[in-house]
Amino acid sequence: VVVDKTGTLTEGKPQVTKLVTTEEFSEEELMRFAGGLEKGSEHPLAQAIVDKAIAMDLTLPDAEDFDSPNGKGVTGSIDGQRVLLGNRLLMESETVDTSDFESEADQLRQDGATVIFVAVDGKICGLLAIADPIKETSEAAISALQKDGIRVVMLTGDNRTSAEAIARKLHIDEVEAEVLPEDKGNIIQRLKDEGHVVLMAGDGVNDAPALATADVGVAMGTGTDVAIESA
C-alpha cells in the first residue's frame, strides 16, 4: 500500500503556523505577495496562505504571468516585481540564495511543517511554515494494514525532513519524499515490476498518474475530480 501524505494521512486542511522575514520585509508585505500569487489556486497549501492573508486583513493584489512549475511552487509578477513562492528546488532553479534561512527551515521541518520560501526580484525575503494535522484515524489504519502483513510506503512531494517527521509519528518505515508529480507513477511502476501488487491511496491532482498506474487506486473523500476519475 502506497499512501500520499497531504489530505490522505493528514487532514488536508493546513494552516500557516509561522512567518519569518528579512529586515527589509514586514510580515504584512510577505503575506501580501504570497497571498496575491496564490489566490487563484485550489491547492490546500495555497488556500492556507490565502486564509492567513485574509485573517491579517490584507488586500490581495492581482498577479500577472502566473506559472506553477510542477512540484516546485508558483511564480508571477506583482506590482512589476517578479515573485517566487515555493520549495528549495524552485529557489535553486532561479539561483536564489536561501542559506540565511536554512537553519530555521530545518528546525520547522523536523516538527513536520512544510516550509515555503518567498523571493522578490531574485532575493529571498522570508519563509512560511505550514502545518497540516495528522488525521485522528491514520495511526490506527496504518497499524491495521501492517498487522495484516501489508507493506506501507509513504509517497510525497514534500521535503524529506517534514515527511519523515510525519512517518515517525505513524510508524511508517519507508518514505519516498521530494518526488515530483511525474515521478510518482514511475515509483508505482517500479514496485509493480518488482512483483508487488500495489494499491495507491491519494487525493490530489499530483496523485492522478500514480493512482492510474497502481493495480488498485483509492481516491480519498477530499479528493480532486481528476484523482477520483483516475482511481
Side-chain angles (χ1 to χ4, degrees):
V1 171
V2 179
V3 287
D4 176 47
K5 181 175 75 68
T6 303
T8 302
L9 296 174
T10 65
E11 290 179 4
K13 297 174 184 173
Q15 298 175 334
V16 175
T17 54
K18 187 161 187 180
L19 303 173
V20 184
T21 68
T22 60
E23 290 181 2
E24 294 87 9
F25 280 83
S26 66
E27 291 187 354
E28 286 77 14
E29 286 174 308
L30 185 80
M31 288 308 301
R32 183 175 172 275
F33 279 120
L37 207 52
E38 290 283 32
K39 70 178 180 180
S41 174
E42 294 179 352
H43 192 284
L45 297 184
Q47 192 57 54
I49 291 169
V50 173
D51 288 347
K52 177 69 172 177
I54 290 171
M56 293 169 70
D57 288 330
L58 300 176
T59 301
L60 300 182
D62 292 327
E64 298 176 345
D65 304 321
F66 181 87
D67 191 22
S68 54
N70 244 356
K72 295 180 181 178
V74 292
T75 67
S77 295
I78 292 177
D79 302 337
Q81 296 175 286
R82 187 152 190 269
V83 183
L84 310 175
L85 183 73
N87 57 22
R88 188 190 289 146
L89 283 175
L90 178 65
M91 297 299 147
E92 286 175 352
S93 69
E94 298 278 347
T95 61
V96 174
D97 182 13
T98 60
S99 57
D100 289 347
F101 286 91
E102 283 302 335
S103 174
E104 180 104 42
D106 276 340
Q107 196 164 352
L108 291 163
R109 291 182 189 120
Q110 283 165 17
D111 291 332
T114 298
V115 173
I116 297 178
F117 296 104
V118 184
V120 177
D121 285 340
K123 188 177 179 185
I124 192 79
C125 61
L127 63 78
L128 319 169
I130 300 181
D132 185 12
I134 294 172
K135 287 179 182 173
E136 288 183 5
T137 53
S138 290
E139 188 172 359
I142 296 298
S143 176
L145 289 167
Q146 291 170 334
K147 282 176 182 171
D148 277 347
I150 294 171
R151 174 181 168 193
V152 179
V153 181
M154 181 200 288
L155 180 60
T156 178
D158 205 354
N159 173 272
R160 174 160 295 281
T161 306
S162 304
E164 288 181 346
I166 299 293
R168 274 195 304 275
K169 292 174 183 176
L170 294 173
H171 310 292
I172 298 173
D173 297 326
E174 291 184 72
V175 179
E176 295 273 3
E178 300 178 7
V179 181
L180 292 173
E182 57 266 31
D183 292 331
K184 284 189 173 184
N186 296 337
I187 290 171
I188 300 292
Q189 189 60 54
R190 188 189 75 209
L191 290 167
K192 288 174 68 174
D193 291 344
E194 290 170 1
H196 302 293
V197 177
V198 182
L199 179 149
M200 167 73 190
D203 83 328
V205 173
N206 292 346
D207 300 320
L211 289 166
T213 304
D215 295 293
V216 181
V218 178
M220 307 304 289
T222 52
T224 60
D225 289 344
V226 69
I228 291 165
E229 184 64 29
S230 300

